[in-house]
Amino acid sequence: MHWSGAVAACLAATALASFAPRSLRAQAAVREPVVWRFVGEAAASVGGTWLEGSRAPTVRSKPGFLFGVGLQRGWTEFVAAGATLRGGIQPLEIRENGDSWSGGTLTEANFVATLSLQSRQRRTNRVSLDLSGGAAVLSGANDILPFHDAASLAPLAEVGIAIRRGATNADASRRDLALFVRYSTLKVQSEYVNAVTTTGWVGRIVAGLRVSR
Amino acid sequence: MNTNRIRTLRAPFGSRRAVAALVGLIACALVACDTPTATRPTFAYDPTTLSNGMLYRWANGQQLHVWADLADSTRAVNLGQSVRTAIARWNDLPAFAEFELVIVSNPADAQIIIYDRARPMPVRAGSCAFEPRAAVGYTYFCATGGNAERLALASGAPSRASVVIRVDDTLVAGQSRYDAIVAHELGHALGIGAHSSVAGDLMFGLPTTSFPTGRDAQTLQYVLGAPADIIL
């Protein structure tokens, strides 16, 4: 990862645009109890270039599935934090010199902690910005790079958005449904004696449905 | 699971700002994060010196079916053991699932056929001359255009075979040398159309090991990613 000046500027601009103080009306104080919720999610994952090079195959994921369960605690009406354990599979495709062939199936388990920042309520739908960090365990597809000799634990970071409908963080008696989409990126490190490999980040788009109660 | 704690709350942002933050953070991630890369090595020795400069190999991403004639089990060396050993060692080398060697029981299903000189040749030669002479090991295929010919079984029935390997156990001293010869010939069948000049390599002209060395592996990695003149 290259933390160049451009990246720093990008992050600063994003922070300024997204988290600058709003009007006093928007920051009106409310009082709500704190609740725990069970969370279940089902999602499809798309994309993911695991390896590319000028003189090597490109290893990509085909669409796959992820399922997860977790716990979430509503700290305030607008802030929740939780942890989720997920498992999923993604078929892999290898391309080189105009040919393509199967790379088998990648099996993944990951564990993430998530901070969910919810927007002001508008009618019954609310929007939340989800920031997650954790680690993924990748297995299967061990006869292909970068999974051959790869580190077993890959750091994982995610940013996503969800449109929620139903209960607020403070209301434990109602089910909360959310459609979400997130950008998930994990760091892959592999060394192989007969192919020069470099460490890098693999990004995927994950979209699905989350239910909490 | 309620608690009775009370918090004073503030709405952190509106939905439009949430979308802006999402887009911004993804853009930052895309700028900051490089995809892992790989580069195939160049060859340790030119893999085309025995094939008139033509690079040949199998199409990537397939199981390669191997059949060995094991009918004569009374001999001092065991062809089945040599084949299983060689297959296991070559199967360790693909870095991108380019091939997987698998033993099959029916010669008609095999793409690679292995037999010992003591047994009759299980397939008929193609349109090219089959000239093993007094070689301890001999790998044969016949290319017309950009593809290898399919070889008919000795009975005349069609088969999937395009490569045939003949070994001669009367010219080797013991099982380990026999293992080395079979593994060496299987290296030719996978696309290494050359002999290494380094005595320790499996693809040296007179191999003394049945393990592909790093140089053998490097050369095979190159072959598997190079544009082929002939597809087996």
Side-chain angles (χ1 to χ4, degrees):
Chain A
M1 176 180 261
H2 305 300
W3 287 102
S4 63
V7 175
C10 180
L11 286 172
T14 300
L16 282 173
S18 308
F19 299 101
R22 296 186 57 79
S23 68
L24 288 176
R25 185 171 60 84
Q27 296 181 18
V30 293
R31 289 169 182 274
E32 294 287 350
V34 179
V35 299
W36 284 93
R37 288 178 169 279
F38 291 106
V39 178
E41 68 177 42
S45 55
V46 181
T49 301
W50 297 91
L51 204 66
E52 61 184 358
S54 58
R55 203 155 48 81
T58 298
V59 181
R60 286 201 178 97
S61 294
K62 289 181 168 179
F65 300 96
L66 276 172
F67 298 96
V69 292
L71 276 176
Q72 189 180 58
R73 178 174 180 170
W75 293 96
T76 73
E77 183 182 0
F78 302 107
V79 179
T84 308
L85 180 65
R86 305 190 197 111
I89 56 169
Q90 277 193 291
L92 296 168
E93 182 183 55
I94 302 172
R95 288 180 178 273
E96 186 175 33
N97 294 331
D99 295 331
S100 66
W101 63 95
S102 168
T105 301
L106 173 68
T107 305
E108 171 185 356
N110 65 50
F111 183 79
V112 293
T114 302
L115 179 67
S116 183
L117 306 172
Q118 188 176 289
S119 71
R120 290 170 295 128
Q121 185 163 359
R122 288 180 176 171
R123 301 183 188 87
T124 55
N125 294 329
R126 301 176 309 284
V127 174
S128 70
L129 177 67
D130 301 331
L131 304 170
S132 304
V137 178
L138 307 172
S139 67
N142 287 330
D143 57 344
I144 65 168
L145 291 174
F147 309 106
H148 192 298
D149 296 335
S152 57
L153 212 57
L156 175 72
E158 296 178 343
V159 56
I161 196 166
I163 300 172
R164 298 173 57 182
R165 186 182 183 93
T168 65
N169 284 343
D171 183 3
S173 63
R174 292 179 60 198
R175 181 186 301 136
D176 182 62
L177 289 175
L179 288 171
F180 65 86
V181 59
R182 63 176 174 253
Y183 181 75
S184 175
T185 181
L186 57 87
K187 189 177 186 183
V188 176
Q189 188 166 11
S190 174
E191 291 181 5
Y192 189 68
V193 66
N194 284 312
V196 179
T197 55
T198 64
T199 296
W201 291 79
V202 178
R204 292 173 291 175
I205 300 290
V206 181
L209 177 69
R210 184 165 57 220
V211 181
S212 62
R213 181 147 198 171
Chain B
M1 300 179 77
N2 279 331
T3 71
N4 293 322
R5 276 183 262 175
I6 301 297
R7 298 292 173 93
T8 299
L9 310 173
R10 288 184 174 183
F13 51 82
S15 56
R16 266 178 264 173
R17 291 194 176 202
V19 173
L22 177 74
V23 171
L25 289 170
I26 290 175
C28 292
L30 291 174
V31 169
C33 300
D34 295 327
T35 300
T37 64
T39 306
R40 280 193 188 273
T42 187
F43 51 77
Y45 45 88
D46 183 350
T48 64
T49 55
L50 296 176
S51 52
N52 298 322
M54 308 276 272
L55 193 142
Y56 66 91
R57 62 174 172 81
W58 301 90
N60 280 335
Q62 60 176 322
Q63 281 193 336
L64 299 177
H65 292 176
V66 180
W67 180 83
D69 186 349
L70 308 177
D72 189 353
S73 58
T74 62
R75 305 187 73 80
V77 290
N78 186 323
L79 179 59
Q81 176 184 323
S82 298
V83 171
R84 284 189 294 273
T85 300
I87 284 177
R89 289 172 184 167
W90 283 112
N91 274 346
D92 278 344
L93 299 186
F96 297 100
E98 292 97 337
F99 67 82
E100 181 188 13
L101 294 161
V102 176
I103 294 177
V104 294
S105 57
N106 183 352
D109 296 333
Q111 290 140 296
I112 301 170
I113 284 183
I114 305 174
Y115 75 106
D116 192 277
R117 186 185 176 192
R119 300 283 303 161
M121 186 173 173
V123 291
R124 296 178 179 176
S127 57
C128 312
F130 182 83
E131 296 175 325
R133 298 195 180 93
V136 64
Y138 178 71
T139 299
Y140 170 89
F141 66 89
C142 183
T144 51
N147 293 94
E149 294 177 0
R150 296 287 172 266
L151 306 174
L153 296 177
S155 64
S159 83
R160 298 177 64 201
S162 53
V163 174
V164 58
I165 294 172
R166 194 192 83 163
V167 287
D168 188 345
D169 69 357
T170 64
L171 299 177
V172 297
Q175 184 70 45
S176 63
R177 282 298 306 277
Y178 198 51
D179 291 348
I181 295 298
V182 171
H184 173 101
E185 295 305 322
L186 205 48
H188 286 317
L190 289 172
I192 302 178
H195 285 153
S196 166
S197 59
V198 174
D201 290 343
L202 173 58
M203 297 311 291
F204 182 63
L206 292 170
T208 55
T209 177
S210 57
F211 284 91
T213 63
R215 287 165 44 83
D216 298 316
Q218 181 181 333
T219 302
L220 182 66
Q221 288 288 340
Y222 169 81
V223 167
L224 295 173
D229 300 304
I230 299 166
I231 293 291
L232 295 174

